[in-house]
Amino acid sequence: MKNLESFHIKNKFLIILVLILIPLLVFLPKTGSAFFPLNWSDLNFQMRYQAQWYRVRLENRIEIFDPFANKMGEVGKKNPTLMSERDYVQIINWKRDQIMVIETRNDEGELMHLYYENRDQTIQKQIDPIRFFNLNEIMPHYLRFLTKKSEHREQALREFNIEDFLVSQTWHENQIYYRIGIQGSDHYALIDPKTFFLQSLHSSIQRANGSKWKLEVKFSKFKKYNRQEYPQITEYFLDGNLFKRVRLIKAKILSRLPIKELKEMAMTRVETLPATWTVDYAR
């Protein structure tokens, strides 16, 4: 009898153990395959398939916030203070791995800054005499990653002060990501291991007193536009406080770019021209 009771006890224990292990055996392989370790070459190979657009025209609406002046909202939640007088729009003409032209305009349509890139030729024009735009401020970082060439993706990372392309795995906000950048550095990028979408860019800004501000750019609300997954929202945070939001308003596939007109706009001393300069994008 004792042996029989002992057998039943062992049997129950084995059943409980199997019930515990089965869910683990079902779910662990999925997680393991999603987070398979990759090097920079492997990760580039996966990310190159994210580039579906070839020619596109994007229109963005940019909202600016005061990162250190928050208003108390519902249930004690802090809402960033919108500085609507500093909002602006962007028109981006892009041809994969070849051309990118960024027109930065105010709400009246006046051209404030122009960036022209055609292969190895790059021109920047600061037009507004008061408001200055630097490269990181106007650059569509996610668009930079939609490339078939690893050197262009590396250029996009360097523009965000990410100089080393070491790939590792890291936890961030209760999720695991591929991390591009030196371990322990303030400058790195996070990639979703399941979709291989760029999720965020991280850097820091040195202050006069020797301390640093943490800079983070988050990409969210991905939507498919003509077979291309692209974030509808890009948000910039300084020490966790929102200071800039980019909303994608329109994405239009083009059969051709108005390259000649765009180059003329870049090459001419546009700061002496009236603000009614337009390019016929419909042709």
Side-chain angles (χ1 to χ4, degrees), residues 84-143:
S84 56
E85 71 280 0
R86 298 187 63 81
D87 291 359
Y88 58 94
V89 296
Q90 280 186 329
I91 299 171
I92 303 170
N93 285 273
W94 180 82
K95 184 177 180 181
R96 189 176 65 221
D97 294 324
Q98 295 181 50
I99 297 169
M100 181 160 63
V101 181
I102 307 169
E103 303 169 43
T104 301
R105 298 177 178 269
N106 61 23
D107 282 338
E108 286 70 45
E110 296 171 335
L111 194 59
M112 298 189 293
H113 184 276
L114 182 68
Y115 177 84
Y116 174 90
E117 180 182 301
N118 189 345
R119 301 183 193 277
D120 295 331
Q121 184 182 25
T122 301
I123 300 171
Q124 284 193 73
K125 291 283 187 177
Q126 180 62 47
I127 300 162
D128 191 292
I130 299 174
R131 189 166 182 184
F132 178 79
F133 293 87
N134 62 40
L135 187 63
N136 268 331
E137 192 172 0
I138 57 96
M139 191 58 63
H141 298 290
Y142 197 90
L143 193 61

